Amino acid sequence: MGWMGNCDRLFFKEQFHKLGPGAVACNFNVLSQTTRQNVTILDGAVETHIRLKGFHVTEPDIIVLQKHLLEMIQREDAVIFSGSLPEGLSPERFENLLDIALTQGAKVAVDIAGPALMVALRKPLLIGKPDVEGMAEAGHVGP
């Protein structure tokens, strides 16, 4: 569950179906915009990241996701928040999404960076994946 650009909907549905019928529910809120593309190039110990601009979410998009979280998350579910925050979703609104999942009794994991990472690390997470780049982006360590 989350946001996805319309052009990627069928691809993800097919990939999840390959895991077995019902193994992963594909319950994304589909936006008419394009999902952000990320490419990582590895050359020995050097990583180069190419990150294209993603979509912009609106207040109604955020409210729909909040409702889906409240309806679908059950106690002991695993909920993973990963990737960068889309334009339109502030760290404070992201914190609200985390709080909904935690209040529903979910085990929450994050793989995010920047201010959203700092918000998440104040929560009782199952696991958080801070890395040097993400902490530097949040202004807490040098690269």
Side-chain angles (χ1 to χ4, degrees), residues 10-31:
L10 184 57
F11 170 78
F12 278 96
K13 186 175 182 176
E14 289 172 351
Q15 297 307 308
F16 291 151
H17 185 73
K18 287 180 184 178
L19 297 172
V24 177
C26 190
N27 294 318
F28 289 94
N29 297 322
V30 178
L31 304 175

Side-chain angles (χ1 to χ4, degrees), residues 33-83:
Q33 305 162 58
T34 303
T35 304
R36 187 179 94 158
Q37 301 296 312
N38 298 306
V39 176
T40 301
I41 301 169
L42 302 175
D43 184 12
V46 177
E47 288 187 19
T48 301
H49 300 280
I50 301 169
R51 297 179 177 127
L52 302 179
K53 186 176 177 180
F55 45 71
H56 178 93
V57 295
T58 63
E59 186 64 19
D61 295 327
I62 297 168
I63 291 170
V64 168
L65 182 58
Q66 290 173 327
K67 287 179 181 177
H68 284 165
L69 290 172
L70 285 166
E71 291 169 2
M72 298 188 72
I73 295 174
Q74 298 179 19
R75 179 163 293 292
E76 300 298 316
D77 279 353
V79 177
I80 302 167
F81 292 91
S82 64

Side-chain angles (χ1 to χ4, degrees), residues 3 5 7-8 13 25-26 30 43 53 100 105 111 119 123 132 139-140:
W3 293 296
C7 62
D8 296 309
K13 186 175 182 176
C26 190
V30 178
D43 184 12
K53 186 176 177 180
I100 289 171
D111 180 4
V119 165
K123 302 294 178 181
V132 173
H140 290 279

